PDB file of all heavy atoms in Angstrom:
ATOM      1  N   CYS A1294      36.627-212.447 -80.774  1.00 86.00           N
ATOM      2  CA  CYS A1294      37.039-211.333 -79.925  1.00 86.00           C
ATOM      3  C   CYS A1294      37.639-210.220 -80.771  1.00 86.00           C
ATOM      4  O   CYS A1294      38.087-210.449 -81.901  1.00 86.00           O
ATOM      5  CB  CYS A1294      38.023-211.781 -78.850  1.00 86.00           C
ATOM      6  SG  CYS A1294      39.647-212.251 -79.460  1.00 86.00           S
ATOM      7  N   VAL A1295      37.632-209.018 -80.213  1.00 89.00           N
ATOM      8  CA  VAL A1295      38.176-207.837 -80.877  1.00 89.00           C
ATOM      9  C   VAL A1295      39.248-207.231 -79.982  1.00 89.00           C
ATOM     10  O   VAL A1295      39.034-207.036 -78.787  1.00 89.00           O
ATOM     11  CB  VAL A1295      37.078-206.790 -81.169  1.00 89.00           C
ATOM     12  CG1 VAL A1295      37.677-205.609 -81.932  1.00 89.00           C
ATOM     13  CG2 VAL A1295      35.933-207.399 -81.946  1.00 89.00           C
ATOM     14  N   ILE A1296      40.408-206.935 -80.579  1.00 91.00           N
ATOM     15  CA  ILE A1296      41.524-206.328 -79.864  1.00 91.00           C
ATOM     16  C   ILE A1296      41.891-205.022 -80.575  1.00 91.00           C
ATOM     17  O   ILE A1296      41.928-204.958 -81.803  1.00 91.00           O
ATOM     18  CB  ILE A1296      42.769-207.243 -79.869  1.00 91.00           C
ATOM     19  CG1 ILE A1296      42.402-208.684 -79.514  1.00 91.00           C
ATOM     20  CG2 ILE A1296      43.829-206.698 -78.915  1.00 91.00           C
ATOM     21  CD1 ILE A1296      41.896-208.888 -78.131  1.00 91.00           C
ATOM     22  N   THR A1297      42.170-203.997 -79.781  1.00 91.00           N
ATOM     23  CA  THR A1297      42.698-202.751 -80.343  1.00 91.00           C
ATOM     24  C   THR A1297      43.836-202.268 -79.442  1.00 91.00           C
ATOM     25  O   THR A1297      44.167-202.916 -78.450  1.00 91.00           O
ATOM     26  CB  THR A1297      41.595-201.688 -80.489  1.00 91.00           C
ATOM     27  OG1 THR A1297      42.107-200.576 -81.238  1.00 91.00           O
ATOM     28  CG2 THR A1297      41.093-201.192 -79.137  1.00 91.00           C
ATOM     29  N   SER A1298      44.435-201.153 -79.792  1.00 93.00           N
ATOM     30  CA  SER A1298      45.543-200.649 -78.966  1.00 93.00           C
ATOM     31  C   SER A1298      45.666-199.143 -79.124  1.00 93.00           C
ATOM     32  O   SER A1298      45.147-198.542 -80.069  1.00 93.00           O
ATOM     33  CB  SER A1298      46.867-201.304 -79.382  1.00 93.00           C
ATOM     34  OG  SER A1298      47.393-200.710 -80.551  1.00 93.00           O
ATOM     35  N   VAL A1299      46.402-198.567 -78.183  1.00 93.00           N
ATOM     36  CA  VAL A1299      46.846-197.189 -78.350  1.00 93.00           C
ATOM     37  C   VAL A1299      47.966-197.194 -79.390  1.00 93.00           C
ATOM     38  O   VAL A1299      48.498-198.245 -79.744  1.00 93.00           O
ATOM     39  CB  VAL A1299      47.367-196.608 -77.018  1.00 93.00           C
ATOM     40  CG1 VAL A1299      46.238-196.481 -76.016  1.00 93.00           C
ATOM     41  CG2 VAL A1299      48.501-197.475 -76.454  1.00 93.00           C
ATOM     42  N   THR A1300      48.330-196.018 -79.902  1.00 94.00           N
ATOM     43  CA  THR A1300      49.463-195.900 -80.818  1.00 94.00           C
ATOM     44  C   THR A1300      50.743-195.755 -79.993  1.00 94.00           C
ATOM     45  O   THR A1300      50.808-194.945 -79.072  1.00 94.00           O
ATOM     46  CB  THR A1300      49.290-194.687 -81.743  1.00 94.00           C
ATOM     47  OG1 THR A1300      48.106-194.867 -82.516  1.00 94.00           O
ATOM     48  CG2 THR A1300      50.479-194.540 -82.680  1.00 94.00           C
ATOM     49  N   ARG A1301      51.766-196.557 -80.339  1.00 95.00           N
ATOM     50  CA  ARG A1301      53.019-196.531 -79.596  1.00 95.00           C
ATOM     51  C   ARG A1301      54.173-196.146 -80.518  1.00 95.00           C
ATOM     52  O   ARG A1301      55.003-196.969 -80.895  1.00 95.00           O
ATOM     53  CB  ARG A1301      53.274-197.896 -78.944  1.00 95.00           C
ATOM     54  CG  ARG A1301      52.288-198.256 -77.833  1.00 95.00           C
ATOM     55  CD  ARG A1301      52.359-197.307 -76.644  1.00 95.00           C
ATOM     56  NE  ARG A1301      53.669-197.272 -76.020  1.00 95.00           N
ATOM     57  CZ  ARG A1301      53.991-198.002 -74.940  1.00 95.00           C
ATOM     58  NH1 ARG A1301      53.091-198.785 -74.373  1.00 95.00           N
ATOM     59  NH2 ARG A1301      55.203-197.913 -74.416  1.00 95.00           N
ATOM     60  N   ASP A1302      54.221-194.873 -80.885  1.00 95.00           N
ATOM     61  CA  ASP A1302      55.312-194.366 -81.720  1.00 95.00           C
ATOM     62  C   ASP A1302      56.652-194.409 -80.998  1.00 95.00           C
ATOM     63  O   ASP A1302      57.707-194.286 -81.634  1.00 95.00           O
ATOM     64  CB  ASP A1302      55.015-192.929 -82.172  1.00 95.00           C
ATOM     65  CG  ASP A1302      53.883-192.851 -83.181  1.00 95.00           C
ATOM     66  OD1 ASP A1302      53.719-193.801 -83.965  1.00 95.00           O
ATOM     67  OD2 ASP A1302      53.167-191.831 -83.191  1.00 95.00           O
ATOM     68  N   ASP A1303      56.638-194.587 -79.676  1.00 95.00           N
ATOM     69  CA  ASP A1303      57.871-194.620 -78.901  1.00 95.00           C
ATOM     70  C   ASP A1303      58.616-195.941 -79.023  1.00 95.00           C
ATOM     71  O   ASP A1303      59.801-196.018 -78.695  1.00 95.00           O
ATOM     72  CB  ASP A1303      57.560-194.359 -77.426  1.00 95.00           C
ATOM     73  CG  ASP A1303      56.622-195.400 -76.839  1.00 95.00           C
ATOM     74  OD1 ASP A1303      55.560-195.649 -77.453  1.00 95.00           O
ATOM     75  OD2 ASP A1303      56.935-195.966 -75.776  1.00 95.00           O
ATOM     76  N   LEU A1304      57.948-196.993 -79.488  1.00 96.00           N
ATOM     77  CA  LEU A1304      58.559-198.315 -79.595  1.00 96.00           C
ATOM     78  C   LEU A1304      59.145-198.524 -80.986  1.00 96.00           C
ATOM     79  O   LEU A1304      58.540-198.128 -81.980  1.00 96.00           O
ATOM     80  CB  LEU A1304      57.523-199.395 -79.306  1.00 96.00           C
ATOM     81  CG  LEU A1304      56.863-199.355 -77.914  1.00 96.00           C
ATOM     82  CD1 LEU A1304      55.766-200.398 -77.827  1.00 96.00           C
ATOM     83  CD2 LEU A1304      57.916-199.562 -76.820  1.00 96.00           C
ATOM     84  N   ASN A1305      60.297-199.168 -81.047  1.00 96.00           N
ATOM     85  CA  ASN A1305      60.962-199.373 -82.342  1.00 96.00           C
ATOM     86  C   ASN A1305      60.084-200.135 -83.327  1.00 96.00           C
ATOM     87  O   ASN A1305      60.075-199.839 -84.522  1.00 96.00           O
ATOM     88  CB  ASN A1305      62.290-200.122 -82.142  1.00 96.00           C
ATOM     89  CG  ASN A1305      63.346-199.252 -81.477  1.00 96.00           C
ATOM     90  OD1 ASN A1305      63.309-198.025 -81.575  1.00 96.00           O
ATOM     91  ND2 ASN A1305      64.283-199.884 -80.783  1.00 96.00           N
ATOM     92  N   ASP A1306      59.345-201.121 -82.824  1.00 97.00           N
ATOM     93  CA  ASP A1306      58.491-201.917 -83.712  1.00 97.00           C
ATOM     94  C   ASP A1306      57.035-201.477 -83.655  1.00 97.00           C
ATOM     95  O   ASP A1306      56.153-202.143 -84.168  1.00 97.00           O
ATOM     96  CB  ASP A1306      58.598-203.402 -83.380  1.00 97.00           C
ATOM     97  CG  ASP A1306      57.937-203.754 -82.042  1.00 97.00           C
ATOM     98  OD1 ASP A1306      57.625-202.825 -81.256  1.00 97.00           O
ATOM     99  OD2 ASP A1306      57.732-204.957 -81.787  1.00 97.00           O
ATOM    100  N   LYS A1307      56.784-200.314 -83.014  1.00 96.00           N
ATOM    101  CA  LYS A1307      55.440-199.727 -82.875  1.00 96.00           C
ATOM    102  C   LYS A1307      54.473-200.641 -82.119  1.00 96.00           C
ATOM    103  O   LYS A1307      53.259-200.506 -82.238  1.00 96.00           O
ATOM    104  CB  LYS A1307      54.854-199.365 -84.256  1.00 96.00           C
ATOM    105  CG  LYS A1307      55.808-198.568 -85.147  1.00 96.00           C
ATOM    106  CD  LYS A1307      56.269-197.286 -84.507  1.00 96.00           C
ATOM    107  CE  LYS A1307      57.232-196.499 -85.380  1.00 96.00           C
ATOM    108  NZ  LYS A1307      58.571-197.108 -85.502  1.00 96.00           N
ATOM    109  N   GLY A1308      55.036-201.601 -81.398  1.00 96.00           N
ATOM    110  CA  GLY A1308      54.211-202.518 -80.614  1.00 96.00           C
ATOM    111  C   GLY A1308      53.816-203.777 -81.359  1.00 96.00           C
ATOM    112  O   GLY A1308      53.019-204.581 -80.856  1.00 96.00           O
ATOM    113  N   ALA A1309      54.379-204.001 -82.543  1.00 97.00           N
ATOM    114  CA  ALA A1309      53.961-205.125 -83.390  1.00 97.00           C
ATOM    115  C   ALA A1309      54.214-206.480 -82.729  1.00 97.00           C
ATOM    116  O   ALA A1309      53.378-207.387 -82.818  1.00 97.00           O
ATOM    117  CB  ALA A1309      54.670-205.056 -84.742  1.00 97.00           C
ATOM    118  N   LEU A1310      55.361-206.646 -82.062  1.00 98.00           N
ATOM    119  CA  LEU A1310      55.656-207.926 -81.417  1.00 98.00           C
ATOM    120  C   LEU A1310      54.665-208.215 -80.294  1.00 98.00           C
ATOM    121  O   LEU A1310      54.207-209.350 -80.121  1.00 98.00           O
ATOM    122  CB  LEU A1310      57.090-207.938 -80.875  1.00 98.00           C
ATOM    123  CG  LEU A1310      57.526-209.226 -80.168  1.00 98.00           C
ATOM    124  CD1 LEU A1310      57.413-210.424 -81.111  1.00 98.00           C
ATOM    125  CD2 LEU A1310      58.952-209.092 -79.627  1.00 98.00           C
ATOM    126  N   HIS A1311      54.325-207.195 -79.522  1.00 97.00           N
ATOM    127  CA  HIS A1311      53.339-207.349 -78.453  1.00 97.00           C
ATOM    128  C   HIS A1311      51.983-207.730 -79.052  1.00 97.00           C
ATOM    129  O   HIS A1311      51.272-208.572 -78.502  1.00 97.00           O
ATOM    130  CB  HIS A1311      53.239-206.046 -77.651  1.00 97.00           C
ATOM    131  CG  HIS A1311      52.522-206.181 -76.352  1.00 97.00           C
ATOM    132  ND1 HIS A1311      53.138-206.603 -75.196  1.00 97.00           N
ATOM    133  CD2 HIS A1311      51.218-205.958 -76.026  1.00 97.00           C
ATOM    134  CE1 HIS A1311      52.259-206.618 -74.205  1.00 97.00           C
ATOM    135  NE2 HIS A1311      51.077-206.224 -74.680  1.00 97.00           N
ATOM    136  N   TRP A1312      51.640-207.102 -80.159  1.00 97.00           N
ATOM    137  CA  TRP A1312      50.417-207.456 -80.879  1.00 97.00           C
ATOM    138  C   TRP A1312      50.434-208.931 -81.266  1.00 97.00           C
ATOM    139  O   TRP A1312      49.481-209.680 -81.008  1.00 97.00           O
ATOM    140  CB  TRP A1312      50.293-206.604 -82.147  1.00 97.00           C
ATOM    141  CG  TRP A1312      49.379-205.439 -82.053  1.00 97.00           C
ATOM    142  CD1 TRP A1312      49.727-204.116 -82.011  1.00 97.00           C
ATOM    143  CD2 TRP A1312      47.958-205.457 -82.024  1.00 97.00           C
ATOM    144  NE1 TRP A1312      48.604-203.328 -81.946  1.00 97.00           N
ATOM    145  CE2 TRP A1312      47.503-204.118 -81.955  1.00 97.00           C
ATOM    146  CE3 TRP A1312      47.016-206.482 -82.044  1.00 97.00           C
ATOM    147  CZ2 TRP A1312      46.149-203.782 -81.908  1.00 97.00           C
ATOM    148  CZ3 TRP A1312      45.657-206.156 -81.986  1.00 97.00           C
ATOM    149  CH2 TRP A1312      45.237-204.822 -81.924  1.00 97.00           C
ATOM    150  N   ALA A1313      51.517-209.366 -81.917  1.00 98.00           N
ATOM    151  CA  ALA A1313      51.614-210.743 -82.392  1.00 98.00           C
ATOM    152  C   ALA A1313      51.550-211.731 -81.227  1.00 98.00           C
ATOM    153  O   ALA A1313      50.880-212.776 -81.316  1.00 98.00           O
ATOM    154  CB  ALA A1313      52.903-210.931 -83.184  1.00 98.00           C
ATOM    155  N   THR A1314      52.224-211.405 -80.134  1.00 98.00           N
ATOM    156  CA  THR A1314      52.213-212.271 -78.959  1.00 98.00           C
ATOM    157  C   THR A1314      50.810-212.403 -78.387  1.00 98.00           C
ATOM    158  O   THR A1314      50.365-213.496 -78.007  1.00 98.00           O
ATOM    159  CB  THR A1314      53.172-211.728 -77.877  1.00 98.00           C
ATOM    160  OG1 THR A1314      54.486-211.608 -78.425  1.00 98.00           O
ATOM    161  CG2 THR A1314      53.213-212.645 -76.667  1.00 98.00           C
ATOM    162  N   THR A1315      50.090-211.294 -78.331  1.00 97.00           N
ATOM    163  CA  THR A1315      48.719-211.314 -77.810  1.00 97.00           C
ATOM    164  C   THR A1315      47.822-212.191 -78.672  1.00 97.00           C
ATOM    165  O   THR A1315      47.057-213.028 -78.157  1.00 97.00           O
ATOM    166  CB  THR A1315      48.150-209.881 -77.742  1.00 97.00           C
ATOM    167  OG1 THR A1315      48.992-209.068 -76.913  1.00 97.00           O
ATOM    168  CG2 THR A1315      46.735-209.882 -77.178  1.00 97.00           C
ATOM    169  N   ILE A1316      47.891-212.018 -79.978  1.00 97.00           N
ATOM    170  CA  ILE A1316      47.070-212.818 -80.891  1.00 97.00           C
ATOM    171  C   ILE A1316      47.387-214.306 -80.736  1.00 97.00           C
ATOM    172  O   ILE A1316      46.481-215.152 -80.648  1.00 97.00           O
ATOM    173  CB  ILE A1316      47.291-212.359 -82.346  1.00 97.00           C
ATOM    174  CG1 ILE A1316      46.763-210.931 -82.534  1.00 97.00           C
ATOM    175  CG2 ILE A1316      46.607-213.316 -83.334  1.00 97.00           C
ATOM    176  CD1 ILE A1316      47.216-210.267 -83.825  1.00 97.00           C
ATOM    177  N   ASN A1317      48.673-214.627 -80.672  1.00 97.00           N
ATOM    178  CA  ASN A1317      49.076-216.027 -80.549  1.00 97.00           C
ATOM    179  C   ASN A1317      48.661-216.637 -79.217  1.00 97.00           C
ATOM    180  O   ASN A1317      48.257-217.809 -79.153  1.00 97.00           O
ATOM    181  CB  ASN A1317      50.590-216.158 -80.743  1.00 97.00           C
ATOM    182  CG  ASN A1317      51.012-215.924 -82.184  1.00 97.00           C
ATOM    183  OD1 ASN A1317      50.255-216.197 -83.111  1.00 97.00           O
ATOM    184  ND2 ASN A1317      52.231-215.424 -82.376  1.00 97.00           N
ATOM    185  N   GLU A1318      48.751-215.849 -78.136  1.00 97.00           N
ATOM    186  CA  GLU A1318      48.335-216.345 -76.821  1.00 97.00           C
ATOM    187  C   GLU A1318      46.831-216.605 -76.781  1.00 97.00           C
ATOM    188  O   GLU A1318      46.371-217.591 -76.187  1.00 97.00           O
ATOM    189  CB  GLU A1318      48.722-215.343 -75.731  1.00 97.00           C
ATOM    190  CG  GLU A1318      50.187-215.346 -75.366  1.00 97.00           C
ATOM    191  CD  GLU A1318      50.610-216.632 -74.681  1.00 97.00           C
ATOM    192  OE1 GLU A1318      49.877-217.116 -73.792  1.00 97.00           O
ATOM    193  OE2 GLU A1318      51.667-217.174 -75.038  1.00 97.00           O
ATOM    194  N   ILE A1319      46.058-215.720 -77.399  1.00 95.00           N
ATOM    195  CA  ILE A1319      44.604-215.915 -77.450  1.00 95.00           C
ATOM    196  C   ILE A1319      44.275-217.209 -78.187  1.00 95.00           C
ATOM    197  O   ILE A1319      43.453-218.015 -77.731  1.00 95.00           O
ATOM    198  CB  ILE A1319      43.922-214.714 -78.124  1.00 95.00           C
ATOM    199  CG1 ILE A1319      44.026-213.476 -77.236  1.00 95.00           C
ATOM    200  CG2 ILE A1319      42.444-215.022 -78.426  1.00 95.00           C
ATOM    201  CD1 ILE A1319      43.591-212.196 -77.905  1.00 95.00           C
ATOM    202  N   ARG A1320      44.911-217.421 -79.324  1.00 96.00           N
ATOM    203  CA  ARG A1320      44.657-218.631 -80.102  1.00 96.00           C
ATOM    204  C   ARG A1320      45.090-219.895 -79.347  1.00 96.00           C
ATOM    205  O   ARG A1320      44.428-220.931 -79.417  1.00 96.00           O
ATOM    206  CB  ARG A1320      45.404-218.543 -81.430  1.00 96.00           C
ATOM    207  CG  ARG A1320      44.713-217.642 -82.444  1.00 96.00           C
ATOM    208  CD  ARG A1320      44.485-218.396 -83.749  1.00 96.00           C
ATOM    209  NE  ARG A1320      43.672-217.569 -84.642  1.00 96.00           N
ATOM    210  CZ  ARG A1320      44.182-216.637 -85.436  1.00 96.00           C
ATOM    211  NH1 ARG A1320      45.481-216.405 -85.443  1.00 96.00           N
ATOM    212  NH2 ARG A1320      43.381-215.944 -86.228  1.00 96.00           N
ATOM    213  N   LYS A1321      46.214-219.804 -78.652  1.00 96.00           N
ATOM    214  CA  LYS A1321      46.742-220.948 -77.919  1.00 96.00           C
ATOM    215  C   LYS A1321      45.768-221.421 -76.842  1.00 96.00           C
ATOM    216  O   LYS A1321      45.571-222.628 -76.646  1.00 96.00           O
ATOM    217  CB  LYS A1321      48.082-220.564 -77.288  1.00 96.00           C
ATOM    218  CG  LYS A1321      48.771-221.670 -76.509  1.00 96.00           C
ATOM    219  CD  LYS A1321      50.094-221.156 -75.959  1.00 96.00           C
ATOM    220  CE  LYS A1321      50.793-222.200 -75.094  1.00 96.00           C
ATOM    221  NZ  LYS A1321      52.073-221.660 -74.549  1.00 96.00           N
ATOM    222  N   LEU A1322      45.164-220.472 -76.146  1.00 94.00           N
ATOM    223  CA  LEU A1322      44.263-220.803 -75.036  1.00 94.00           C
ATOM    224  C   LEU A1322      42.816-220.970 -75.482  1.00 94.00           C
ATOM    225  O   LEU A1322      41.992-221.535 -74.749  1.00 94.00           O
ATOM    226  CB  LEU A1322      44.359-219.708 -73.961  1.00 94.00           C
ATOM    227  CG  LEU A1322      43.920-220.078 -72.544  1.00 94.00           C
ATOM    228  CD1 LEU A1322      44.760-221.228 -71.995  1.00 94.00           C
ATOM    229  CD2 LEU A1322      44.022-218.862 -71.626  1.00 94.00           C
ATOM    230  N   ASN A1323      42.505-220.488 -76.688  1.00 93.00           N
ATOM    231  CA  ASN A1323      41.119-220.520 -77.186  1.00 93.00           C
ATOM    232  C   ASN A1323      41.081-221.073 -78.607  1.00 93.00           C
ATOM    233  O   ASN A1323      40.836-220.334 -79.573  1.00 93.00           O
ATOM    234  CB  ASN A1323      40.518-219.109 -77.151  1.00 93.00           C
ATOM    235  CG  ASN A1323      40.516-218.498 -75.769  1.00 93.00           C
ATOM    236  OD1 ASN A1323      39.582-218.658 -75.005  1.00 93.00           O
ATOM    237  ND2 ASN A1323      41.589-217.772 -75.436  1.00 93.00           N
ATOM    238  N   PRO A1324      41.326-222.386 -78.779  1.00 93.00           N
ATOM    239  CA  PRO A1324      41.344-222.970 -80.125  1.00 93.00           C
ATOM    240  C   PRO A1324      40.033-222.730 -80.863  1.00 93.00           C
ATOM    241  O   PRO A1324      38.949-222.838 -80.287  1.00 93.00           O
ATOM    242  CB  PRO A1324      41.542-224.469 -79.849  1.00 93.00           C
ATOM    243  CG  PRO A1324      42.154-224.540 -78.488  1.00 93.00           C
ATOM    244  CD  PRO A1324      41.582-223.383 -77.731  1.00 93.00           C
ATOM    245  N   GLY A1325      40.148-222.357 -82.132  1.00 91.00           N
ATOM    246  CA  GLY A1325      38.961-222.142 -82.950  1.00 91.00           C
ATOM    247  C   GLY A1325      38.388-220.740 -82.887  1.00 91.00           C
ATOM    248  O   GLY A1325      37.440-220.413 -83.605  1.00 91.00           O
ATOM    249  N   ILE A1326      38.971-219.883 -82.037  1.00 91.00           N
ATOM    250  CA  ILE A1326      38.451-218.514 -81.925  1.00 91.00           C
ATOM    251  C   ILE A1326      38.756-217.716 -83.189  1.00 91.00           C
ATOM    252  O   ILE A1326      39.749-217.963 -83.875  1.00 91.00           O
ATOM    253  CB  ILE A1326      39.042-217.796 -80.698  1.00 91.00           C
ATOM    254  CG1 ILE A1326      38.256-216.498 -80.425  1.00 91.00           C
ATOM    255  CG2 ILE A1326      40.530-217.476 -80.904  1.00 91.00           C
ATOM    256  CD1 ILE A1326      38.178-216.113 -79.008  1.00 91.00           C
ATOM    257  N   THR A1327      37.868-216.781 -83.514  1.00 90.00           N
ATOM    258  CA  THR A1327      38.131-215.831 -84.597  1.00 90.00           C
ATOM    259  C   THR A1327      38.392-214.461 -83.989  1.00 90.00           C
ATOM    260  O   THR A1327      37.985-214.184 -82.864  1.00 90.00           O
ATOM    261  CB  THR A1327      36.953-215.761 -85.580  1.00 90.00           C
ATOM    262  OG1 THR A1327      35.758-215.387 -84.857  1.00 90.00           O
ATOM    263  CG2 THR A1327      36.732-217.099 -86.274  1.00 90.00           C
ATOM    264  N   MET A1328      39.094-213.616 -84.761  1.00 91.00           N
ATOM    265  CA  MET A1328      39.531-212.334 -84.215  1.00 91.00           C
ATOM    266  C   MET A1328      39.435-211.195 -85.210  1.00 91.00           C
ATOM    267  O   MET A1328      39.654-211.400 -86.406  1.00 91.00           O
ATOM    268  CB  MET A1328      40.993-212.432 -83.760  1.00 91.00           C
ATOM    269  CG  MET A1328      41.179-212.720 -82.306  1.00 91.00           C
ATOM    270  SD  MET A1328      42.947-212.785 -81.883  1.00 91.00           S
ATOM    271  CE  MET A1328      43.259-214.506 -82.237  1.00 91.00           C
ATOM    272  N   GLU A1329      39.119-210.020 -84.687  1.00 93.00           N
ATOM    273  CA  GLU A1329      39.332-208.766 -85.406  1.00 93.00           C
ATOM    274  C   GLU A1329      40.373-207.976 -84.638  1.00 93.00           C
ATOM    275  O   GLU A1329      40.290-207.860 -83.410  1.00 93.00           O
ATOM    276  CB  GLU A1329      38.057-207.942 -85.515  1.00 93.00           C
ATOM    277  CG  GLU A1329      38.304-206.561 -86.127  1.00 93.00           C
ATOM    278  CD  GLU A1329      37.067-205.676 -86.217  1.00 93.00           C
ATOM    279  OE1 GLU A1329      35.950-206.216 -86.311  1.00 93.00           O
ATOM    280  OE2 GLU A1329      37.230-204.443 -86.174  1.00 93.00           O
TER     281      GLU A1329
END
């Protein structure tokens, strides 16, 4: 799967935690998946 995002300059971490959470949730529910 491929994930992208808008730019979030308004967030202190620029959305990095949300990014990490999304990637981890995808892996948790879809073992063996690859990602861009």
Side-chain angles (χ1 to χ4, degrees):
C1294 69
V1295 183
I1296 314 295
T1297 189
S1298 79
V1299 294
T1300 299
R1301 293 297 300 264
D1302 290 328
D1303 60 309
L1304 300 174
N1305 289 334
D1306 70 347
K1307 311 303 179 289
L1310 180 59
H1311 194 84
W1312 260 109
T1314 303
T1315 302
I1316 294 166
N1317 289 330
E1318 284 293 316
I1319 291 170
R1320 282 234 173 85
K1321 181 179 177 181
L1322 202 60
N1323 301 271
I1326 193 148
T1327 58
M1328 264 181 273
E1329 174 182 332

